[in-house]
Amino acid sequence: MPELPEIETIRNILKKDLIGKKIDKIDILFKKQFPDEPALVISAKIVDILRTGKVLSIKLSNGKYLNIHLKLSGQLLFAKNANHAVFPQEIPMAASNKLPARSTRVVIHFKDGSGLFFNEIRKFGWIKVSDKPERAKGVDVLSSDFTKEYFQSKMNSSRQIKIVLMDQDRLAGVGNIYANDALFEARVNPEKKANLLTKTETGHLYEAVKKVIQLGVKYSGSSGGDKMYVLPDGSAGGYQRYSSVYQKEGKPCVRCKTLIKRIKQGGRSSFFCPKCQK
DNA sequence: AGGGTTCCCTGTTGGC
DNA sequence: TGCCAACAGGGAACCC
């Protein structure tokens, strides 16, 4: 499930792979996930790759942007030879180490023969052409605008703190994995209402969000559980080895050995230690 | 307006 | 063992 650290990892790698390349043609295998006119970007060069929250924005020489959201199961894979794209290991959900595969929705071909594959089995993700980078309203949690004061000002909601952490119009980039781990790190119960947290708790939580997101980036993102997330070369991320509660239902808490509990909030799974997180 | 629910999709899981 | 309903999940769209 790609969140900020996963998108940031992809961004850093694709910057090396793609900057300077000229778009030759675009194969659209599922129209709904690339609804715009490909002619808007053909022959443009890739100038930069940006990210705000979970949205990746490929900046082009003609002023356009290719905005990309991977949603639940999106993958971006780069191949030097797009017409013979073979990866060292099988690509999750593609049932093959060769692309395009059944999960491939869009292929962006470059003039030098290389290509970028957009795979997405669930069909929720998208690539849109726009005149500006797309973004959620919230401040990106890796940016310098993400201050403790900003964070505390966004805790003015009567909703449960877990829901608030994942609200992209408040904080951009935090999804289920890192929200769970940040709450564990800060010892805050996910069901607590955001506006009832003490100033000390919001302070700890602010530091915890920064810590787990930075850890996620350091280990190239999380490929735990369904293992759908991969780097652009098809390899897996490593954060899942350092995750404390996400998808650890029934396993002992790393701090107190109490069994990790799973509950449902807003239709999503939450994992927490009922003893450590009060 | 803010808070809550449903739906989009398809692979996986679990009950019978 | 095999079938099939239930489940999972980010965020837009909807309702109250």
Side-chain angles (χ1 to χ4, degrees):
Chain A
M1 200 187 355
E3 304 176 27
L4 188 154
E6 289 73 32
I7 308 301
E8 181 67 5
T9 300
I10 291 170
R11 180 177 88 92
N12 287 329
I13 293 169
L14 289 185
K15 275 176 83 168
K16 293 174 200 148
D17 288 335
L18 300 186
I19 287 179
K21 295 207 190 300
K22 194 172 186 176
I23 297 176
D24 186 30
K25 66 163 181 165
I26 301 182
D27 297 333
I28 300 171
L29 307 177
F30 189 69
K31 185 82 178 84
K32 194 180 165 190
Q33 294 186 271
F34 194 116
D36 299 310
E37 187 47 62
L40 292 168
V41 300
I42 300 297
S43 295
K45 267 190 187 173
I46 292 177
V47 178
D48 202 357
I49 304 183
L50 316 169
R51 179 198 59 74
T52 303
K54 303 178 192 175
V55 183
L56 191 76
S57 298
I58 299 179
K59 184 180 184 182
L60 302 174
S61 55
N62 64 354
K64 301 287 184 191
Y65 292 81
L66 284 167
N67 291 305
I68 304 175
H69 201 306
L70 300 181
K71 289 289 179 83
L72 303 175
S73 60
Q75 303 163 337
L76 289 170
L77 292 136
F78 176 73
K80 287 212 163 98
N81 183 350
N83 292 319
H84 187 69
V86 182
F87 294 82
Q89 62 262 66
E90 183 172 312
I91 305 300
M93 293 300 129
S96 167
N97 69 331
K98 298 187 182 72
L99 296 183
R102 60 174 178 165
S103 55
T104 304
R105 309 299 180 203
V106 178
V107 188
I108 301 175
H109 293 267
F110 302 105
K111 282 271 195 268
D112 67 356
S114 64
L116 184 68
F117 293 81
F118 174 54
N119 290 357
E120 217 266 315
I121 199 74
R122 291 275 186 277
K123 298 184 172 173
F124 290 161
W126 42 255
I127 302 181
K128 294 178 192 166
V129 180
S130 172
D131 294 326
K132 57 183 191 322
E134 190 155 322
R135 53 162 304 162
K137 290 189 195 111
V139 157
D140 185 277
V141 297
L142 269 193
S143 79
S144 57
D145 292 336
F146 182 58
T147 62
K148 188 179 280 189
E149 291 66 35
Y150 175 84
F151 183 72
Q152 283 170 336
S153 76
K154 292 297 171 188
M155 294 296 119
N156 60 344
S157 167
S158 62
R159 310 184 93 179
Q160 297 176 324
I161 181 60
K162 163 75 180 334
I163 307 279
V164 172
L165 280 185
M166 289 175 64
D167 180 354
Q168 302 300 299
D169 290 337
R170 292 173 190 270
L171 318 188
V174 179
N176 208 12
I177 300 171
Y178 299 96
N180 278 295
D181 282 349
L183 286 163
F184 176 81
E185 179 69 28
R187 302 181 187 237
V188 172
N189 188 295
E191 292 184 284
K192 209 165 201 177
K193 293 194 186 292
N195 57 4
L196 296 183
L197 293 182
T198 65
K199 196 139 193 180
T200 310
E201 284 175 320
T202 57
H204 287 158
L205 193 51
Y206 168 75
E207 297 299 339
V209 167
K210 292 219 303 194
K211 182 177 168 180
V212 297
I213 290 289
Q214 283 164 8
L215 207 61
V217 174
K218 180 177 174 183
Y219 293 108
S220 302
S222 177
S223 296
D226 48 32
K227 297 183 167 60
M228 272 195 274
Y229 160 74
V230 287
L231 278 60
D233 64 358
S235 63
Y239 173 81
Q240 64 280 4
R241 293 195 292 274
Y242 306 91
S243 171
S244 34
V245 286
Y246 182 66
Q247 288 180 339
K248 300 241 191 290
E249 182 186 16
K251 292 187 177 159
C253 167
V254 294
R255 281 195 297 244
C256 74
K257 310 292 182 211
T258 301
L259 300 187
I260 299 300
K261 204 172 158 187
R262 175 164 106 153
I263 57 170
K264 196 148 234 209
Q265 297 180 280
R268 308 287 178 265
S269 293
S270 296
F271 304 86
F272 70 106
C273 172
K275 191 176 173 194
C276 291
Q277 294 171 258
K278 293 293 184 189

